[in-house]
């Protein structure tokens, strides 16, 4: 593992855990942190032994309170363009499933980062929101698009135009948060879910993630084609033979990622 200064990186068997680690700044996402995060996610993504990644924030207060306003305040458009914003694109392209364990504020870029993940667990005290409008800008890392695709136009407009925070329970009822759990249980629940996913056939997991994500980026026709091709492709894997044989023989399947 490379050396990082703004994140903590651990592995627990098949699960990689990344903790955003600027607690005094409520894990505000400066360029260095976002670059390190993209590097660490890619490092786990290349590691065939890792089947799922958990992303969380250090401290009890925040997952991430957004892009670092102090760093951005004097920047020009060119600084923003060259400063590392493309790391968000790298985060989007991770093949391994990523679970966000949102342990407090997920505001601005923090909310957008949670939405880059594939499953969102949140503690009861978590607060989400896109408050960029309050500082004279708009979401810049996918907030308008991912919220609108999940919540629809009207709730998204209210969130983006007022900057008001939303609690985790409301987002659970709206389908953006998978489960809300007590703060003390958050990482346990994330680990349970991550281990369950990491225990499945790895190539099938990758194909499944790709197929679901294609629903947000293609027409229904193209998405159905991607799903069907991925489904057929899995008939070339040993894990497919093993999975079906194990079912017929009434035993646990042992997947090897081949
Ligand atoms: N950037 C830089 N520093 C931040 C920060 C941010 N986004 N959020 C919090 N901090 C810092 C504070 O400045 C403070 O530092 P000091 O002690 O040195 O003053 C420290 O973290 C603790 O924060 P508060 O004292 O404000 O804590 P609080 O409990 O009173 O309030 C909060 C918590 C409501 C989250 C508040 O900090 C807040 O509103 N933060 C800003 C949220 C925000 O506007 N996020 C959007 C950023 S823009 C963006 O993300 C663009 C994009 O789409 C990529």
């Amino acid at each position: 593992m490379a050396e990082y200064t703004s994140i903590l990186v651990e592995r627990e068997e098949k699960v990689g855990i990344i903790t955003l680690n600027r607690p005094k700044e409520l894990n505000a996402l400066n360029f260095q942190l976002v670059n390190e995060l993209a590097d660490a996610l890619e490092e786990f993504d290349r590691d065939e032994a890792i089947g799922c990644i958990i992303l969380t924030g250090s401290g009890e207060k925040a997952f991430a309170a957004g892009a670092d306003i102090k760093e951005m305040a004097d920047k020009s458009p060119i600084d923003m363009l060259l400063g590392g914003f493309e790391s968000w694109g790298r985060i989007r392209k991770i093949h391994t499933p990523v679970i966000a364990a949102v342990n407090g504020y997920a505001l601005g870029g923090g909310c957008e980062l949670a939405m880059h993940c594939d499953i969102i667990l949140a503690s009861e005290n978590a607060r989400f929101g896109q408050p960029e409008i309050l500082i004279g800008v708009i979401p810049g890392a996918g907030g308008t698009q991912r919220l609108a695709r999940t919540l629809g136009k009207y709730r998204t407009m209210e969130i983006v135009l007022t900057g008001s925070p939303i609690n985790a329970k409301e987002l659970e009822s709206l389908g953006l948060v998978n489960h809300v759990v007590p703060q003390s249980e958050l990482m346990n629940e994330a680990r349970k879910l991550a281990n369950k996913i990491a225990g499945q056939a790895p190539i099938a997991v990758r194909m499944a993630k790709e197929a679901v994500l294609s629903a947000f980026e293609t027409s229904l026709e193209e998405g159905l084609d991607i799903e069907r091709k991925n489904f057929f492709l899995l008939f070339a894997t040993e894990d497919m033979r093993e999975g079906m044989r194990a079912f017929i023989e009434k035993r646990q399947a042992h997947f090897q990622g081949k």
Side-chain angles (χ1 to χ4, degrees):
M1 274 285 160
E3 290 289 313
Y4 299 110
T5 59
S6 307
I7 58 173
L8 301 172
V9 180
E10 304 155 78
R11 48 186 308 155
E12 293 178 3
E13 298 184 2
K14 293 181 177 177
V15 176
I17 303 178
I18 301 176
T19 306
L20 309 174
N21 193 31
R22 302 181 72 215
K24 276 202 276 181
E25 293 85 7
L26 303 186
N27 303 319
L29 306 168
N30 61 8
F31 283 115
Q32 170 152 350
L33 186 152
V34 180
N35 290 338
E36 287 187 5
L37 177 60
D39 288 345
L41 285 168
E42 285 176 351
E43 208 171 332
F44 277 143
D45 213 24
R46 282 191 299 269
D47 186 338
E48 286 179 12
I50 294 291
C52 193
I53 302 166
I54 299 171
L55 181 58
T56 193
S58 63
E60 304 246 303
K61 233 175 133 179
F63 175 72
D68 191 319
I69 299 169
K70 291 168 192 162
E71 184 183 60
M72 281 188 305
D74 297 321
K75 292 250 188 281
S76 70
I78 303 299
D79 296 333
M80 293 303 286
L81 182 74
L82 301 178
F85 224 72
E86 74 279 5
S87 292
W88 287 96
R90 292 167 58 204
I91 294 170
R92 183 167 72 85
K93 294 199 174 101
I94 297 300
H95 301 290
T96 310
V98 184
I99 298 173
V102 177
N103 54 309
Y105 289 114
L107 300 177
C111 185
E112 292 168 306
L113 181 57
M115 290 192 290
H116 273 69
C117 299
D118 303 303
I119 292 180
I120 304 179
L121 300 184
S123 58
E124 286 161 345
N125 63 319
R127 294 279 175 284
F128 295 74
Q130 299 291 159
E132 289 89 343
I133 201 81
L134 306 175
I135 54 169
V137 285
I138 67 167
T144 60
Q145 302 307 297
R146 291 200 173 86
L147 278 178
R149 279 168 164 75
T150 309
L151 307 184
K153 170 181 165 183
Y154 304 100
R155 195 69 182 95
T156 300
M157 282 292 186
E158 190 179 341
I159 292 165
V160 171
L161 297 180
T162 66
S164 303
I166 324 130
N167 67 44
K169 265 285 168 210
E170 184 183 346
L171 285 179
E172 186 185 35
S173 70
L174 293 172
L176 194 135
V177 165
N178 292 67
H179 306 288
V180 180
V181 298
Q183 174 100 319
S184 58
E185 288 301 309
L186 182 65
M187 284 308 287
N188 280 345
E189 291 302 318
R191 282 186 173 90
K192 266 193 242 163
L193 193 54
N195 278 301
K196 188 157 194 183
I197 292 168
Q200 313 300 331
I203 304 172
V205 166
R206 181 176 171 151
M207 295 289 127
K209 173 168 171 169
E210 184 185 294
V212 174
L213 287 181
S214 74
F216 297 94
E217 286 160 16
T218 61
S219 65
L220 177 60
E221 179 117 19
E222 287 168 296
L224 290 171
D225 281 347
I226 290 169
E227 181 192 83
R228 199 168 314 121
K229 278 180 191 145
N230 286 5
F231 175 66
F232 290 158
L233 191 61
L234 288 165
F235 283 70
T237 64
E238 288 176 24
D239 282 347
M240 168 268 172
R241 306 271 166 234
E242 164 62 10
M244 294 198 183
R245 221 179 286 127
F247 174 80
I248 293 164
E249 293 167 7
K250 300 188 189 302
R251 61 173 174 81
Q252 185 84 29
H254 297 288
F255 296 124
Q256 313 234 23
K258 291 188 215 156

